[in-house]
């Protein structure tokens, strides 16, 4: 009986080792154990909850934002915050400056 337990443990350990080893080799791309992570980049746009929209503000100057197409535009600095799959990305790093927005739309 003891021997059987040892064999099972050894098999389990080998499986774990193999799992760790194989998961490491695919680290650079999406892991198969996380099916909720889509391989496609989130698309721009989508429906934003109006209540959420009402409380959102520009992280830079705390001014309200207004929806324009697929972006939320700050009323103060005119930065364009992208909406991805209905989720507003209120990050200064992700926002388009007024100049970038102008060149993107033209
Ligand atoms: Zn702003």
């Amino acid at each position: 009986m003891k021997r059987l337990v040892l064999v099972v443990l050894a098999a389990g350990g080998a499986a774990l080792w193999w799992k760790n080893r194989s998961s490491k080799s695919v680290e650079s791309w999406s892991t198969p154990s996380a099916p909720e992570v889509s391989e496609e980049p989130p698309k721009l746009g989508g429906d934003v909850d109006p209540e959420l929209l009402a409380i959102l503000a520009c992280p830079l100057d705390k001014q309200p934002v207004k929806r324009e197409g697929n972006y939320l535009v700050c009323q103060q600095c005119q930065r364009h915050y992208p909406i991805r799959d209905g989720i507003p990305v209120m990050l200064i790093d992700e926002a388009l400056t007024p100049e970038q927005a102008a060149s993107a739309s033209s």
Side-chain angles (χ1 to χ4, degrees):
M1 202 59 197
K2 215 169 193 175
R3 184 179 284 263
L4 183 72
V5 172
L6 276 176
V7 168
V8 170
L9 278 178
L16 209 69
W17 172 81
W18 180 255
K19 209 178 153 194
N20 284 341
R21 190 178 174 274
S22 53
S23 72
K24 238 171 209 149
S25 62
V26 292
E27 224 171 28
S28 53
W29 53 293
S30 66
T31 50
S33 56
E36 73 270 19
V37 177
S38 171
E39 283 180 32
E40 288 175 42
K43 60 182 184 296
L44 221 52
D47 291 325
V48 181
D49 191 340
E51 284 182 37
L52 178 66
L53 205 60
I55 58 166
L56 284 175
C58 173
L60 204 65
D61 42 43
K62 316 295 181 217
Q63 292 303 302
V65 290
K66 197 174 129 219
R67 179 153 190 181
E68 282 182 25
N70 293 330
Y71 292 89
L72 295 178
V73 182
C74 172
Q75 304 295 284
Q76 183 68 35
C77 66
Q78 299 294 311
R79 272 183 168 75
H80 286 51
Y81 296 95
I83 300 163
R84 290 184 187 139
D85 272 337
I87 299 163
V89 183
M90 304 305 288
L91 298 170
I92 296 165
D93 285 349
E94 296 285 317
L96 297 180
T97 61
E99 295 80 28
Q100 286 173 320
S103 66
S105 60
S106 65

